[in-house]
Amino acid sequence: HTLEINPPCLSSYTATVVDTMSNFGGMTSGANVARAARMADNFAIADAGVKEGGILSATAKWHEQQSIRTLSKSIARSRDKEEIASEQSCAAQEMLARRAQRLKELFDAENKQYQMELAEVGLVMEDPQF
């Protein structure tokens, strides 16, 4: 008799066992061969499962790394935006302070010029502090 064993996940794997059906003291010859073929089939199925598991594990790890990179990039972008906003705020405050200083210098210079022109004509401006 010929027995073909086809594991469900391995269509190309076929174990052929030849059983001569000769009896030696009530024992069928080829039983060990059939058992070895079943074990080989089970090992082939297990190997296919290990391979599939390895592929799934690698795919899951890749997706996890991609999500971590995406999260890291978004955190970095938000930090950059915060830093840019902070720098813009500081620059605006500095610009206002410089503008106020320049205006004060301009008004003081114009006031001195006006007082000098009045002094040439013989007039004096009243000091607002008195």
Side-chain angles (χ1 to χ4, degrees), residues 5-27:
I5 301 171
N6 293 322
C9 67
L10 299 174
S11 60
S12 65
Y13 182 81
T14 304
T16 305
V17 178
V18 178
D19 185 8
T20 59
M21 294 298 290
S22 56
N23 288 329
F24 294 104
M27 294 184 62

Side-chain angles (χ1 to χ4, degrees), residues 34 61 71 85 119 127:
K61 186 174 183 179
L71 181 62
D127 193 5

Side-chain angles (χ1 to χ4, degrees), residues 71-85:
L71 181 62
S72 296
K73 287 178 184 177
S74 67
I75 289 171
R77 271 188 243 115
S78 68
R79 286 182 185 163
D80 288 345
K81 285 181 182 179
E82 291 172 2
E83 187 175 328
I84 289 170

Side-chain angles (χ1 to χ4, degrees), residues 103-123:
L103 281 173
K104 185 177 185 293
E105 290 172 2
L106 175 68
F107 289 145
D108 287 344
E110 285 179 352
N111 191 18
K112 278 186 179 182
Q113 180 70 27
Y114 185 63
Q115 286 179 1
M116 286 176 33
E117 289 175 4
L118 286 175
E120 287 176 5
V121 180
L123 300 173

Side-chain angles (χ1 to χ4, degrees), residues 49-110:
V50 167
K51 183 177 180 182
E52 184 178 343
I55 291 170
L56 290 175
S57 174
T59 302
K61 186 174 183 179
W62 182 84
H63 283 288
E64 287 175 3
Q65 288 175 348
Q66 292 303 313
S67 67
I68 288 170
R69 285 183 186 140
T70 301
L71 181 62
S72 296
K73 287 178 184 177
S74 67
I75 289 171
R77 271 188 243 115
S78 68
R79 286 182 185 163
D80 288 345
K81 285 181 182 179
E82 291 172 2
E83 187 175 328
I84 289 170
S86 174
E87 286 179 11
Q88 286 177 339
S89 173
C90 290
Q93 289 175 356
E94 182 179 348
M95 182 185 69
L96 289 174
R98 286 182 182 202
R99 184 180 292 164
Q101 180 66 28
R102 286 182 185 163
L103 281 173
K104 185 177 185 293
E105 290 172 2
L106 175 68
F107 289 145
D108 287 344
E110 285 179 352

Side-chain angles (χ1 to χ4, degrees), residues 1-5 13 15-19 28-42:
H1 298 296
T2 302
L3 175 65
E4 290 187 349
I5 301 171
Y13 182 81
T16 305
V17 178
V18 178
D19 185 8
T28 305
S29 66
N32 287 336
V33 174
R35 186 173 56 101
R38 282 192 305 272
M39 287 176 61
D41 289 342
N42 290 337

